[in-house]
Amino acid sequence: MSCVTSYSVFAPSAKFFSGFNKNNVNFSVSNAPSSFFSNLTPSSASFPRLFSCGNILNSRRLVSTGWRCCAAQQSGNSASAASLGSDDSDERVVVLVIGGGGREHALCYALKRSPTCETVFCAPGNVGISSSGDATCVPELRIADSSAVIAFCHKWGVGLVVVGPEAPLVAGLANDLVKFGIPVFGPSAEAAALEGSKNFMKSICDKYGIPTAKYQAFRHPVPAKHYIQEQELPIVIKADGLAAGKGVIVATDLEEAYNAVDSMLVDEMFGPAGSQVIIEEFLEGEEASFFALVDGENAIPLESAQDHKRVGDGDTGPNTGGMGAYSPAPVLTKELVSVVMESIILPTVKGMAAEGCKFVGVLYAGLMIEKKSGLPKLIEYNVRFGDPECQALMVRLESDLVKVLLAACRGKLSQVSLDWSPGSAMVVVMASNGYPGSYEKGTMIQNLEEAENVAPTVKIFHAGTALDSSGNLVSAGGRVLGVTAKGSDLAEAKERAYQAIEKVNWPGGFYRRDIGWRALPLPVQPKQN
């Protein structure tokens, strides 16, 4: 696939827009900057104009008048916008975050703290993001409609779009934004196939020598079962496409493995996402989450983190989207970070560029540190920040996140270094009773303010909350709250997080009580007489 370069002009922030009638868009809160609500009408010059490579010399005049010219690879590099001589030292950026979960709440929180940020919008957002003042939520914006998102960005002078969930990326939202000169942190649809198709990810691993589990892909149940018979147990069966984190089954016997194959290929449990299955060897060891920011050519690692996928204490029960996380993860030593960058992340970045679809965004590598070798193998790629790892990372980040993400968009990550707070952070997820199975919505949640006041370093991120008809905060999803705390070390972060949880009054919810158990020493047991 080829990557065609085009050039676009856009206004970098809302200061180029004199104002709009606030009735044009319905907001869930009214904390948008007052400058947006003047009575002036924007001029037609506020809207970007595509121009051909032959007109590139004219861009110098545009830059001198305060407009930025950006080069963006429409197909392969969803956001490789490079500043052509503009001075960004005084740049103030309006940011739009796409999504409405706990990850997006954490991103809004970090973006709003950035000195470069003028204001943050979040679409659709959620009631917790609104009430916390971390962003102005726009629930009416149809994020599945690229034209609606583009129109919103033009209207409000959005200078950076940060896409939280994977589905809009796989659907091509980043491609569409780039065509209109809107910087977006997130990969093109072609590059997002690293998450959208496990078979594609595995093929990249094969071609570029990236260590991963042995596997085969199947579209029909009979050959899939024959293959399983020849392998050792346990064995892992995965739906090829996006299955909301539920398309992975670790089978401990043949019957369970066959049922998993039938559920995907015959019963179509996951629809088109399960029309092909990946059957791979079971890796034994310790899992870790590794995040790297990528600008198409360069990559820099974020701090390490480790999540807890199983629903029950002691890593028991079915897999979930994540029941808690902590950062840093001791399992990822400096030596291992170097190994991961050299053997997994950088070969992927170079391989994607060689395939004609440069990756721009965050690469989230799910790793297994193998017990037998002590070396990392790639389990899967996600093309966005992890949830709940993002919450633990964002409370520790001290760098200007807007500047960092724009540097990725402009292909300038080689000029970036990241600053992190010392100590540790932990997030404990509070989920609705019954999750990850069926659960009740609309159960009342109280005392969140008291919980956040346990310590200055406690922050509660909302993933699935709403207001009922009486204005009470209620649950609206499976994973509902991410109670997050920082500490001088992991033990202190854990103590503060669980102290805050004890203040939350929510009979309809539950949480794991052992987040961080792999990294913390076991309590000393009393001697038996």
Side-chain angles (χ1 to χ4, degrees), residues 303-306 325-331 389 391-398 420-427 456-459 483-497 515-516 519-521:
E303 274 285 278
S304 62
Q306 188 167 38
Y326 55 91
S327 173
V331 67
E389 298 98 326
Q391 289 86 310
L393 290 170
M394 290 302 106
V395 297
R396 292 192 59 216
L397 182 67
E398 294 187 340
W420 302 90
S421 66
S424 299
M426 177 178 288
V427 54
T457 59
V458 171
K459 174 71 176 178
V483 182
T484 309
K486 291 194 297 182
S488 59
D489 55 25
L490 188 57
E492 185 175 67
K494 179 174 183 176
E495 180 182 11
R496 289 174 176 173
I515 302 302
L520 291 169

Side-chain angles (χ1 to χ4, degrees), residues 27-33 95 97 104-114 117-122 125-138 452 459-462 465:
F27 296 108
S28 59
V29 295
S30 58
N31 63 341
V95 183
V97 175
E104 288 74 35
H105 191 175
L107 289 170
C108 289
Y109 169 77
L111 290 163
K112 187 183 178 186
R113 296 189 350 252
S114 300
C117 182
E118 181 167 307
T119 194
V120 182
F121 293 106
C122 187
N126 65 47
V127 66
I129 297 173
S130 298
S131 61
S132 67
D134 291 322
T136 297
C137 292
V138 195
E452 281 199 322
K459 174 71 176 178
I460 297 178
F461 295 110
H462 291 240
T465 58

Side-chain angles (χ1 to χ4, degrees), residues 313-330:
D313 289 353
D315 288 340
T316 58
N319 276 334
T320 70
M323 294 299 295
Y326 55 91
S327 173

Side-chain angles (χ1 to χ4, degrees), residues 205-290:
C205 290
D206 285 347
K207 187 171 181 179
Y208 295 98
I210 299 164
T212 187
K214 182 180 70 173
Y215 79 103
Q216 287 289 334
F218 299 92
R219 291 188 177 274
H220 302 286
V222 173
K225 292 176 182 178
H226 286 163
Y227 178 79
I228 289 172
Q229 288 177 348
E230 300 170 353
Q231 308 306 311
E232 295 182 2
L233 296 171
I235 197 162
V236 183
I237 298 93
K238 299 180 177 180
D240 178 62
L242 298 178
K246 300 176 181 178
V248 178
I249 297 173
V250 180
T252 56
D253 56 49
L254 285 176
E255 182 180 5
E256 188 178 8
Y258 293 165
N259 289 338
V261 169
D262 287 339
S263 69
M264 297 180 195
L265 295 180
V266 178
D267 301 332
E268 300 180 349
M269 174 185 293
F270 301 113
S275 61
Q276 180 172 235
V277 298
I278 305 300
I279 300 176
E280 67 179 26
E281 69 172 319
F282 175 79
L283 299 177
E284 186 177 0
E286 188 170 351
E287 290 189 47
S289 302
F290 192 96

Side-chain angles (χ1 to χ4, degrees), residues 116-415:
T116 307
C117 182
E118 181 167 307
T119 194
V120 182
F121 293 106
C122 187
N126 65 47
V127 66
I129 297 173
S130 298
S131 61
S132 67
D134 291 322
T136 297
C137 292
V138 195
E140 290 80 11
L141 181 57
R142 303 182 306 279
I143 61 174
D145 181 354
S146 293
S147 62
V149 177
I150 291 166
F152 181 90
C153 291
H154 289 171
K155 185 170 188 178
W156 299 109
V158 171
L160 173 65
V161 176
V162 181
V163 184
E166 64 277 12
L169 295 169
V170 173
L173 176 60
N175 302 58
D176 295 336
L177 291 171
V178 163
K179 289 176 184 176
F180 284 84
I182 300 168
V184 53
F185 182 77
S188 65
E190 295 82 3
L194 281 173
E195 179 171 359
S197 170
K198 295 176 181 64
N199 190 43
F200 175 80
M201 183 273 287
K202 288 284 193 178
S203 68
I204 291 291
C205 290
D206 285 347
K207 187 171 181 179
Y208 295 98
I210 299 164
T212 187
K214 182 180 70 173
Y215 79 103
Q216 287 289 334
F218 299 92
R219 291 188 177 274
H220 302 286
V222 173
K225 292 176 182 178
H226 286 163
Y227 178 79
I228 289 172
Q229 288 177 348
E230 300 170 353
Q231 308 306 311
E232 295 182 2
L233 296 171
I235 197 162
V236 183
I237 298 93
K238 299 180 177 180
D240 178 62
L242 298 178
K246 300 176 181 178
V248 178
I249 297 173
V250 180
T252 56
D253 56 49
L254 285 176
E255 182 180 5
E256 188 178 8
Y258 293 165
N259 289 338
V261 169
D262 287 339
S263 69
M264 297 180 195
L265 295 180
V266 178
D267 301 332
E268 300 180 349
M269 174 185 293
F270 301 113
S275 61
Q276 180 172 235
V277 298
I278 305 300
I279 300 176
E280 67 179 26
E281 69 172 319
F282 175 79
L283 299 177
E284 186 177 0
E286 188 170 351
E287 290 189 47
S289 302
F290 192 96
F291 299 89
L293 302 181
V294 183
D295 68 5
E297 300 284 350
N298 308 292
I300 57 173
L302 300 181
E303 274 285 278
S304 62
Q306 188 167 38
D307 72 342
H308 297 65
K309 289 294 187 188
R310 301 279 184 150
V311 70
D313 289 353
D315 288 340
T316 58
N319 276 334
T320 70
M323 294 299 295
Y326 55 91
S327 173
V331 67
L332 281 170
T333 62
K334 289 183 178 179
E335 292 76 17
L336 269 180
V337 168
S338 178
V339 171
V340 172
M341 287 297 292
E342 293 299 324
S343 67
I344 296 176
I345 300 297
L346 292 177
T348 301
V349 174
K350 293 176 182 177
M352 292 297 286
E355 294 297 315
C357 45
K358 289 184 177 181
F359 187 97
V360 174
V362 62
L363 267 181
Y364 163 17
L367 304 175
M368 180 66 75
I369 313 302
E370 271 202 295
K371 185 176 181 180
K372 61 183 180 182
S373 68
L375 294 175
K377 282 189 174 180
L378 180 65
I379 300 174
E380 64 178 2
Y381 266 133
N382 296 302
V383 297
R384 33 70 186 184
F385 287 98
D387 187 344
E389 298 98 326
C390 185
Q391 289 86 310
L393 290 170
M394 290 302 106
V395 297
R396 292 192 59 216
L397 182 67
E398 294 187 340
S399 298
D400 185 322
L401 184 58
V402 173
K403 278 191 174 181
V404 170
L405 299 188
L406 280 175
C409 293
R410 295 166 178 164
K412 295 183 177 180
L413 276 182
S414 61
Q415 304 172 18

Side-chain angles (χ1 to χ4, degrees), residues 484-515:
T484 309
K486 291 194 297 182
S488 59
D489 55 25
L490 188 57
E492 185 175 67
K494 179 174 183 176
E495 180 182 11
R496 289 174 176 173
Y498 280 101
Q499 283 177 346
I501 284 176
E502 289 173 3
K503 300 292 185 181
V504 177
N505 181 9
W506 183 28
F510 76 99
Y511 55 93
R512 279 184 58 165
R513 299 174 184 273
D514 65 344
I515 302 302

